Amino acid sequence: ADFRKALALDPRDTRLPDNIKRVERQLASRSSANTSASSSPSPPVYASEDDKACAGALQFEAWLPACDRLIASGKLSGSNLAVVYRHRGNWYQLKNDHDRAVADYTEAFRHDPSNALTANSLKMSLRAVCFLSNDAAGKVAACTRFIAVIPETDNDLPAAYLNRADGYKRAGDRARASADINAALRIN
């Protein structure tokens, strides 16, 4: 996936170009990694009950407040903070609150742009908002970012253009809606 276009759409993020190649390498190595391990992995060690709850290892109801407390504590930074945002994004995704999931995955990616899991979570959450949102502006923004991160051969591309066209139509921008419909037709 080419994250350069989508991430360029977020003007607040200035560190991303340096890390895009690392994300792509992580994705490639993950897909070709040897899955046969000689020993089973160790169980995770959690620094606190909030860490454990935020990671989803405790009751579902405890997950969100624990992540909120960890973020508000100001004690985390970098990849550690990114993990907490990703876990909270996962919670929102499970609750079908895709807009908040996109916001948290974007924050997670901002704090650790080399993490392939975060990049993929952001991509899938953008897809959900693009395909499911009833908010015209949110749909257009998510579809624009989603279109930018998926390859031209992706089967979702025509549907992403059509969903963005729907957002433009709802916003009263018929010219852009028509252009996206034509783009979807050219792909098919």
Side-chain angles (χ1 to χ4, degrees):
D2 185 358
F3 290 94
R4 285 171 229 159
K5 295 176 191 170
L7 298 171
L9 298 172
D10 189 350
R12 296 172 294 173
D13 203 336
T14 58
R15 301 176 307 150
L16 297 173
D18 299 334
N19 296 299
I20 291 169
K21 290 208 186 292
R22 273 187 279 168
V23 171
E24 292 169 344
R25 281 194 302 270
Q26 265 186 316
L27 287 170
S29 68
R30 204 173 277 238
S31 65
S32 64
N34 182 358
T35 57
S36 62
S38 58
S39 63
S40 51
S42 306
V45 177
Y46 300 103
S48 70
E49 283 299 302
D50 277 346
D51 287 337
K52 190 174 185 178
C54 182
L58 297 177
Q59 295 175 338
F60 186 73
E61 298 79 28
W63 194 346
L64 180 64
C67 293
D68 288 344
R69 284 190 298 274
L70 288 168
I71 291 167
S73 75
K75 295 178 182 177
L76 301 175
S77 63
S79 62
N80 292 326
L81 184 56
V83 167
V84 173
Y85 273 111
R86 189 178 70 241
H87 286 314
R88 191 171 75 173
N90 293 344
W91 190 90
Y92 286 129
Q93 193 75 8
L94 289 170
K95 294 298 251 175
N96 290 320
D97 190 342
H98 304 295
D99 293 321
R100 285 186 179 171
V102 166
D104 275 358
Y105 292 143
T106 299
E107 274 303 307
F109 199 81
R110 196 177 326 289
H111 290 283
D112 187 7
S114 64
N115 188 295
L117 183 58
T118 300
N120 192 57
S121 296
L122 175 57
K123 176 182 141 184
M124 297 314 296
S125 197
L126 286 169
R127 179 189 187 278
V129 175
C130 174
F131 286 28
L132 302 173
S133 180
N134 289 320
D135 171 56
K139 181 181 277 279
V140 168
C143 289
T144 299
R145 290 181 71 192
F146 181 62
I147 289 166
V149 299
I150 61 176
E152 290 184 14
T153 56
D154 194 297
N155 291 334
D156 283 336
L157 189 58
Y161 276 112
L162 291 174
N163 277 285
R164 188 170 71 175
D166 178 56
Y168 282 136
K169 180 181 170 193
R170 290 174 188 218
D173 191 341
R174 295 200 180 276
R176 284 185 173 170
S178 178
D180 275 358
I181 291 168
N182 289 331
L185 292 172
R186 279 193 300 276
I187 294 167
N188 285 333

